[in-house]
Amino acid sequence: MSKRAYNFNAGPAALPLAVLERAQAEFVEFRESGMSIMEMSHRGAIYESVHNEAQERLLSLLGNPQGYKVLFIQGGASTQFAMVPMNLIAEGQVGSYVMTGSWADKALKEAKLTGGGHVAASSADKKFLAIPELSSIKAADNAAYLHITSNETIEGTQYAQYPDAGNIPLVADMSSDILSRDFDVNQFGLIYAGAQKNLGPSGVTVVIAKEELIASSPANIPTILRYDTHYKNNSLYNTPPSFSVYMVNEVLKWIEEQGGLAGTEAKNRDKAGLLYDYIDGSDGFYRGVAEEGSRSIMNVTFRMQSEELEKQFIKASEAEGFVGLKGHRSVGGLRASIYNAVPHESVKALADFMKHFRQTQG
């Protein structure tokens, strides 16, 4: 096999090599069925066993919380931006949103369209380079829920702790940091995550929710956008993204092999520490973008003294096999996305490259 790229893409992102190799071995024929899992009926026993196994495995990694259900839905987190307010906001209520950057903003816009959006706190005054103080977060009196974006991939910020939503559900978009660290699911009413960063390939979105929140939806919502449709049909109401669900199950097995969430967290903190330590120790040649207490362990964002130098850095990095280090087009700069499946060796290679680049420019 040719050398694998150092993949720092923000999403779709790196998948564990062991998972890709397992999938390759089972690709043409799955479990002696004479066909690929992509070719078989989602109503059949073989696919359904994989589907159920993935749900159970995910809840097991989260400590088997009682009263929660896993749904597999299509349309990415972007569809969840609309489904959350459509399903959870009743007449006379609003959704309260903590504004932390680009993705929180998209979620709030959908709430404004479909029910009503309220800003519970914002870090706009800090150019979204920090997470607001938890004590500053105030949900509206008529809030149906408090919504947070646990990790902002574009700005490179992440909640160190989660806010207490009191007697309303805490809803989180965890697309870019789910299963990257240990956390208590019981703090949340509903969590959603597009799979293509930490859970598997694009195509499926995972929803983990308290059953009482998804067991009945308002009658005026289109059938496919109702949580209760997916809940009552075990996410098999329509054809699920079966290959993506199979891949999620394989990634979850791999996470178990890494020592579960405690294992992935230790590895992720080690990788992030390696990069941040080098950036901070580079005498200003590189500088971290996010404020220190809000730095993401998934998306390390940084800048250099000039855009010209950043362009040179990108060009030189690409020549050495590094992929995806350009910052998001809306903010520029540089970004290394170091999700669960990005190996320590890739991060070490990046730190070494950054050191070498600095020496050649210095």
Side-chain angles (χ1 to χ4, degrees):
M1 188 174 74
S2 60
K3 185 172 176 280
R4 284 185 47 85
Y6 296 121
N7 186 354
F8 294 96
N9 277 325
L15 283 160
L17 180 58
V19 170
L20 292 172
E21 287 172 342
R22 268 182 230 166
Q24 184 181 38
E26 296 182 328
F27 192 76
V28 175
E29 181 171 28
F30 187 65
R31 294 187 187 169
E32 299 178 339
S33 64
M35 55 188 156
S36 169
I37 193 162
M38 288 188 288
E39 301 175 286
M40 59 180 64
S41 169
H42 62 293
R43 306 280 177 215
I46 296 180
Y47 173 73
E48 209 160 330
S49 70
V50 171
H51 187 93
N52 294 338
E53 198 181 297
Q55 293 170 329
E56 287 157 20
R57 186 167 267 119
L58 179 53
L59 289 175
S60 163
L61 280 164
L62 296 170
N64 287 314
Q66 292 308 296
Y68 284 80
K69 175 77 175 164
V70 172
L71 306 178
F72 295 128
I73 303 179
Q74 284 145 312
S78 298
T79 297
Q80 294 310 305
F81 296 161
M83 279 181 74
V84 167
M86 287 168 89
N87 281 269
L88 303 188
I89 297 177
E91 189 75 34
Q93 290 184 315
V94 294
S96 277
Y97 287 72
V98 184
M99 281 300 300
T100 45
S102 311
W103 294 107
D105 184 51
K106 288 189 173 178
L108 174 66
K109 279 180 176 146
E110 292 299 297
K112 285 177 175 170
L113 285 176
T114 51
H118 160 263
V119 177
S122 173
S123 55
D125 59 325
K126 295 185 170 179
K127 295 185 177 165
F128 300 121
L129 300 180
I131 297 294
E133 293 290 331
L134 297 192
S135 58
S136 74
I137 299 171
K138 300 280 184 281
D141 292 340
N142 62 335
Y145 55 83
L146 176 66
H147 180 285
I148 63 167
T149 307
S150 62
N151 182 80
E152 288 279 2
T153 54
I154 293 176
E155 292 80 10
T157 60
Q158 185 179 34
Y159 283 80
Q161 274 90 36
Y162 298 118
D164 180 356
N167 58 358
I168 59 170
L170 181 60
V171 174
D173 173 2
M174 285 195 186
S175 294
S176 52
D177 69 345
I178 193 165
L179 305 190
S180 67
R181 54 182 177 174
D182 214 359
F183 72 100
D184 181 9
V185 179
N186 295 292
Q187 283 182 270
F188 297 88
L190 187 148
I191 293 164
Y192 61 91
Q196 65 274 15
K197 294 168 167 59
N198 259 353
L199 290 174
S202 58
V204 64
T205 303
V206 171
V207 174
I208 307 157
K210 281 188 175 166
E211 294 190 51
E212 70 253 27
L213 281 182
I214 56 173
S216 67
S217 299
N220 61 341
I221 304 176
T223 309
I224 199 70
L225 298 174
R226 299 163 61 108
Y227 283 130
D228 64 0
T229 300
H230 302 282
Y231 172 72
K232 287 167 184 167
N233 293 282
N234 191 32
S235 302
L236 293 164
Y237 170 77
N238 64 327
T239 308
S242 49
F243 187 73
S244 295
V245 172
Y246 155 79
M247 286 293 285
V248 166
N249 191 37
E250 293 302 319
V251 170
L252 296 175
K253 284 183 199 170
W254 176 82
I255 290 172
E256 287 173 345
E257 291 157 10
Q258 307 308 301
L261 298 198
T264 58
E265 176 166 5
K267 289 183 174 73
N268 287 329
R269 291 202 183 281
D270 185 40
K271 291 185 300 189
L274 185 67
L275 283 186
Y276 285 124
D277 286 351
Y278 183 67
I279 289 165
D280 293 343
S282 69
D283 296 326
F285 187 80
Y286 301 103
R287 63 175 200 282
V289 172
E291 286 190 15
E292 214 152 309
S294 299
R295 283 175 165 181
S296 170
I297 60 167
M298 293 282 96
N299 309 97
V300 177
T301 49
F302 58 102
R303 301 292 314 228
M304 297 170 76
Q305 285 110 322
S306 70
E307 285 187 24
E308 193 45 53
L309 200 55
E310 289 170 357
K311 279 179 189 159
Q312 285 175 36
F313 178 90
I314 293 294
K315 198 173 176 186
S317 71
E318 285 171 351
E320 294 296 322
F322 293 91
V323 176
L325 291 171
K326 202 173 180 180
H328 190 269
R329 61 187 179 278
S330 63
V331 293
L334 302 158
R335 169 176 62 178
S337 295
I338 52 172
Y339 302 121
N340 286 352
V342 174
H344 186 275
E345 302 80 62
S346 293
V347 179
K348 172 79 170 64
L350 175 58
D352 290 345
F353 170 77
M354 289 167 74
K355 195 173 183 177
H356 176 72
F357 185 81
R358 183 183 162 202
Q359 285 163 351
T360 61
Q361 295 298 318

